[in-house]
Amino acid sequence: MCIRDSKKIIPKKTIKQPIKKMSFISPSGYSTYIHTKKPFAYLIDRTKFQKHMQEKIKKIISYEKVLYITLHKKVVSVHTEKNKYNTKLLIGADGALSTIRDIITKKRQKTYFGITANAKPNTKEITVYINKHFSPDFFSWTIPKNREYGTIVSKKPVEYLNCFTKKLDINIKNIRASPILIGPIRPYYHRTLLIGEAAGQTKPLTGGGIDNAITSSIIASKIIIKNSNHLGKGLYEYKKECNNAFGKEIKRQLLLRKIYKNLTNSQIDSLF
């Protein structure tokens, strides 16, 4: 898991590697790289990061499957497999497969699949492969520190991953895949806020979501505190502040994605 921003939120103990150099490989094998004195991103240990985030709330948090919710004028009722909870404000921060989002809106974003596998590293640095044979939609990569190879596609993820790793002559194991939703939707509804991937706040060029999820969480907490005496109001302010924080970046990246989607491998080569 790589992040670019939000270092103040990320504890040092969860950082596996500061990233100062990254190589890019074209379809024909042309290469270029980014190399900076200071880190421009950080490789994060996801397990340690999640454990850190849960530490302060582990005594009050409960894990229950949500069956359905009902909206009322002054409260939202959340019905789980064990209990029923009434709340003045419901936060949907439950990821790309958000149950809360699916209940309160029928709108769906474009779904892609991030698929990774483990193998012995064939390079010493993080490498990004921009090749339509490996991913018509995004890019493929190797992260030596994680012994990780991966790609992001809209369909046939295993087939494209195999194409990528066979080209590198890599024998992979531990294949894992997860959905990535691209394109923001309205992040608030009646007494409900959607945060991070649940709201489609993922970066369209990279599929990364942790930076914007942290930012939107901070924005949401401030608005909740500000409107603590009349929760349910001022939710539009959440959307406005999120747009100010990263809305333009998402729109710009969506445009770049449209341009990239129409490029051929020969045109990609010419950019190197």
Side-chain angles (χ1 to χ4, degrees):
M1 180 170 68
C2 295
I3 67 163
R4 189 187 69 187
D5 305 309
S6 308
K7 185 173 182 289
K8 292 181 179 180
I9 304 296
I10 307 297
K12 188 175 181 179
K13 64 182 180 181
T14 68
I15 297 176
K16 295 182 72 172
Q17 176 188 346
I19 302 172
K20 299 179 181 180
K21 187 176 182 179
M22 185 180 293
S23 296
F24 298 84
I25 309 295
S26 81
S28 295
Y30 302 126
S31 65
T32 187
Y33 63 88
I34 298 173
H35 195 182
T36 60
K37 292 183 179 180
K38 295 182 179 181
F40 56 83
Y42 298 87
L43 183 64
I44 303 300
D45 186 313
R46 180 183 289 272
T47 301
K48 288 184 178 180
F49 176 69
Q50 289 178 336
K51 185 178 180 180
H52 168 79
M53 296 298 286
Q54 294 169 350
E55 189 66 28
K56 293 182 179 180
I57 60 172
K58 65 180 182 180
K59 293 183 179 181
I60 61 173
I61 195 169
S62 175
Y63 295 93
E64 299 176 22
K65 182 178 179 181
V66 175
L67 301 177
Y68 63 96
I69 66 173
T70 51
L71 305 177
H72 307 285
K73 185 176 181 179
K74 294 185 178 182
V75 298
V76 177
S77 296
V78 180
H79 304 260
T80 74
E81 56 191 350
K82 296 180 179 180
N83 296 293
K84 172 186 173 182
Y85 301 93
N86 290 326
T87 178
K88 293 182 179 180
L89 183 65
L90 177 64
I91 305 295
D94 46 344
L97 299 177
S98 172
T99 300
I100 305 304
R101 179 200 61 234
D102 290 348
I103 291 173
I104 63 177
T105 177
K106 299 299 182 182
K107 188 170 183 179
R108 297 292 178 269
Q109 305 100 313
K110 176 70 175 179
T111 302
Y112 296 86
F113 301 93
I115 183 168
T116 63
N118 297 120
K120 183 179 179 180
N122 68 338
T123 179
K124 294 182 179 180
E125 60 194 34
I126 295 175
T127 304
V128 176
Y129 297 82
I130 306 175
N131 188 325
K132 294 297 181 108
H133 295 314
F134 303 155
S135 173
D137 309 291
F138 279 85
F139 54 85
S140 305
W141 67 87
T142 65
I143 303 179
K145 190 76 172 179
N146 288 351
R147 301 173 67 88
E148 178 182 294
Y149 294 78
T151 191
I152 304 176
V153 293
S154 60
K155 58 183 179 181
K156 300 180 180 179
V158 175
E159 183 177 319
Y160 280 107
L161 178 66
N162 286 335
C163 178
F164 170 47
T165 53
K166 285 181 180 179
K167 183 68 175 179
L168 297 181
D169 194 24
I170 298 295
N171 293 317
I172 58 174
K173 59 183 181 179
N174 302 328
I175 295 176
R176 300 172 299 278
S178 58
I180 299 172
L181 273 61
I182 300 297
I185 63 172
R186 178 179 168 181
Y188 72 97
Y189 294 83
H190 175 70
R191 294 188 175 275
T192 307
L193 289 181
L194 297 176
I195 289 176
E197 290 182 284
Q201 294 168 343
T202 312
K203 295 180 179 180
L205 277 183
T206 65
I210 186 171
D211 289 340
N212 290 347
I214 290 173
T215 299
S216 60
S217 297
I218 293 172
I219 291 171
S221 65
K222 290 179 179 179
I223 290 174
I224 291 170
I225 293 171
K226 178 181 176 181
N227 296 284
S228 60
N229 292 327
H230 43 87
L231 287 175
K233 296 184 178 180
L235 298 187
Y236 175 76
E237 186 180 352
Y238 169 70
K239 177 184 178 181
K240 181 180 178 181
E241 291 299 321
C242 285
N243 283 338
N244 289 339
F246 49 74
K248 289 183 179 180
E249 180 186 21
I250 287 179
K251 287 182 179 180
R252 182 165 57 249
Q253 290 192 17
L254 283 171
L255 176 60
L256 290 174
R257 271 197 50 72
K258 288 182 180 180
I259 295 173
Y260 175 75
K261 188 175 181 179
N262 292 321
L263 292 179
T264 64
N265 272 346
S266 294
Q267 291 172 322
I268 293 171
D269 275 331
S270 69
L271 298 176
F272 279 74

